[in-house]
Amino acid sequence: MTNENPAALIPELALLAGAVLGLLAGAWLPRRRQWPVRALAGAACLVGLGATVITTATTPAQIVFGAAYAVDTATQATRAIVLTATLLALWLSIDTVDGHRRESEFVVLLQLGALGSILLAGANDLLLLFAAFLLASVPFYGLAGWAGTGRTGEAAMKYYLSGAFAGVVMLTGTAVLYGAGGATGYAALHEGLGAGPAGAAAVGLVAVLAGPMFKAGAAPAHFWVPDVTDGTPAAVAAVVTTIPKIGALVGAYRLLLGAIPVQVVDWPLLPAVIAAVSMTLGNLAAFFQTSVQRLLAYSTISQVGYLLIAVAVAGRSAEALPGLLFYLAGYAVTNLGAFAVVAALPAARTLDDYRGLARRRPALAAALVVCLLGLVGTPPTAVFLGKLTVFTAAVDGGFGWLAVLAVVNTVASVFYYLRWIAPALRSGDPAAGSAEVVHSRSRLAALTAAAVSVLLGIAGGAVLPLLGGALIR
């Protein structure tokens, strides 16, 4: 079913309207009283979520605006995850941006980046995929340098230069695939590549994947992640390590399954190798970190490795897409919760700064423990169920070796998360605790995220089986 009905894009249009109106309002509001822009962004996310729920229940999957954009299970789930993550990011960032002279810029850039992430997931055409990559990149380059300090400026420059290179490679790959297949729409490209040169298709695919892999922070396009995460405020780091990954991974899933015939390019091994390298490298590097934000940066790289397992078995297992979507939902909430704890303790930069946190701030320490153990994949958190489903899909899809490697990496990750949890649970000198300065709204966001992670994990046990067999075609 193909149409050009703008009503099919209400969540995307709501984000766009919130960003445009927020930009205009921010130009007129007093520089220290721009909270209405934040309220407008929250309203846009709620409108988008409401529209997503209604259209999911009432509208069948469809391709809109020619063959460029798919509104199906994957897109609807991505909308819900991204919009929820954006709401949580707006909440945990209040203490950081409230009263800041650039508050409206933060909110507008966040909405535009979230819009790009949703478009990445729904893109059904190479040209739209590249346009979505740009929209999911440029606002976040600006967000990385939003605070205007020396560290953030350096982080933004590294992010921009890495992204510019990935964008050039991706655009080159788009041209190669177009030349080999004679089309940019996924369905037509799939047919055209079947009669085209396999070598050109393989080269083009590797180049095009450079864009989504950069946005996801997967190896070898991961070099920006530690420096940007450690060089920006926790609220910004939470956004750039969470929201772009959602659209990038779903977009890669759709691209590989819908556009690249496996009989021409045996592509499943490519994301499998990237997954193996990412999870292993991320975990090994995290062992040696003392900065909490840098540790979380390498943790996000390892998480991308686990998520890419579902991409590697796209079309081979009925559990691949449900596992990917549920894992992304659990990861988004849990990762934002961990960063919310960091945002709540702005002066605590190292692991030692958290010593004795459980005695001084027991609720915040509990949220930290739940979120970190959630990232490990400890039941009953949502990431546990996501990992279990993805690992099962790997075995069903013929990648048992990758599932074994993922289990080994999961066990290994426990040790560096414990390096953070252990000081927080030990007794410490309150006078030495720079963590005594607490941002209350970020703390509440952390507690909420931890609770949602657990509730989502429990509810997912009943919901996830109902999603089995929902594949992108």
Side-chain angles (χ1 to χ4, degrees):
M1 179 179 179
T2 301
N3 66 60
E4 297 184 4
N5 178 19
L9 304 180
I10 290 177
E12 291 85 349
L13 293 174
L15 274 177
L16 179 61
V20 172
L21 293 176
L23 186 63
L24 294 175
W28 293 96
L29 290 169
R31 302 305 292 173
R32 302 293 179 180
R33 295 182 59 191
Q34 298 185 27
W35 62 266
V37 177
R38 192 168 63 246
L40 183 62
C45 291
L46 292 175
V47 169
L49 281 171
T52 299
V53 172
I54 292 172
T55 55
T56 300
T58 61
T59 306
Q62 55 185 322
I63 306 294
V64 297
F65 294 93
Y69 196 70
V71 181
D72 55 15
T73 300
T75 304
Q76 299 285 25
T78 303
R79 285 170 168 175
I81 298 168
V82 169
L83 290 170
T84 302
T86 303
L87 278 172
L88 187 55
L90 286 169
W91 187 3
L92 72 87
S93 65
I94 291 177
D95 295 307
T96 302
V97 305
D98 192 25
H100 195 284
R101 61 190 181 88
R102 294 179 177 172
E103 180 176 355
S104 62
E105 286 90 332
F106 179 97
V107 176
V108 169
L109 291 172
L110 172 57
Q111 290 179 93
L112 291 175
L115 173 59
S117 299
I118 294 175
L119 293 178
L120 270 174
N124 202 47
D125 185 282
L126 290 177
L127 296 180
L128 180 58
L129 183 71
F130 181 70
F133 167 81
L134 293 178
L135 185 56
S137 299
V138 176
F140 289 141
Y141 301 154
L143 200 61
W146 168 81
T149 65
R151 285 171 58 86
T152 59
E154 180 183 354
M157 184 57 66
K158 289 179 179 178
Y159 197 9
Y160 165 72
L161 292 176
S162 300
F165 177 75
V168 170
V169 174
M170 184 182 181
L171 187 58
T172 303
T174 300
V176 173
L177 284 180
Y178 175 72
T184 57
Y186 287 179
L189 183 61
H190 189 280
E191 182 179 349
L193 289 177
V203 171
L205 172 62
V206 172
V208 168
L209 277 180
M213 293 303 98
F214 165 78
K215 294 311 303 173
H222 68 283
F223 295 105
W224 62 273
V225 179
D227 292 332
V228 173
T229 304
D230 195 39
T232 56
V236 175
V239 171
V240 299
T241 59
T242 305
I243 293 177
K245 285 178 170 52
I246 303 166
L249 290 166
V250 177
Y253 187 107
R254 188 187 298 278
L255 169 69
L256 291 169
L257 187 60
I260 312 299
V262 72
Q263 64 271 20
V264 176
V265 181
D266 191 16
W267 53 259
L269 187 59
L270 176 60
V273 171
I274 297 174
V277 174
S278 298
M279 69 176 78
T280 305
L281 185 148
N283 283 328
L284 290 176
F287 276 109
F288 306 100
Q289 305 306 315
T290 57
S291 164
V292 292
Q293 289 189 206
R294 209 167 184 86
L295 186 149
L296 284 175
Y298 284 109
S299 167
T300 65
I301 295 171
S302 69
Q303 295 293 331
V304 171
Y306 304 131
L307 286 158
L308 277 170
I309 296 174
V311 178
V313 294
R316 293 186 168 201
S317 171
E319 302 296 326
L321 182 59
L324 174 64
L325 296 176
F326 192 85
Y327 195 157
L328 283 171
Y331 165 76
V333 172
T334 308
N335 194 59
L336 286 171
F339 274 104
V341 174
V342 178
L345 308 171
R349 300 285 301 178
T350 67
L351 300 177
D352 283 340
D353 290 332
Y354 284 78
R355 186 176 300 276
L357 180 65
R359 185 174 65 176
R360 300 190 299 275
R361 306 287 178 179
L364 196 56
L368 176 66
V369 170
V370 170
C371 289
L372 293 183
L373 292 181
L375 291 174
V376 173
T378 306
T381 60
V383 173
F384 163 73
L385 196 57
K387 277 191 176 182
L388 182 62
T389 308
V390 167
F391 294 175
T392 302
V395 175
D396 291 344
F399 282 101
W401 64 269
L402 189 57
V404 172
L405 181 62
V407 170
V408 171
N409 271 282
T410 297
V411 173
S413 70
V414 173
F415 296 98
Y416 66 79
Y417 288 120
L418 286 177
R419 292 182 60 234
W420 190 351
I421 294 173
L425 298 182
R426 289 197 195 108
S427 298
D429 179 11
S434 57
E436 290 298 318
V437 179
V438 179
H439 286 166
S440 59
R441 286 169 290 195
S442 298
R443 176 180 60 185
L444 186 56
L447 293 170
T448 302
V452 170
S453 178
V454 173
L455 293 174
L456 189 61
I458 295 172
V463 173
L464 202 53
L466 302 178
L467 301 177
L471 289 171
I472 301 174
R473 292 292 184 185

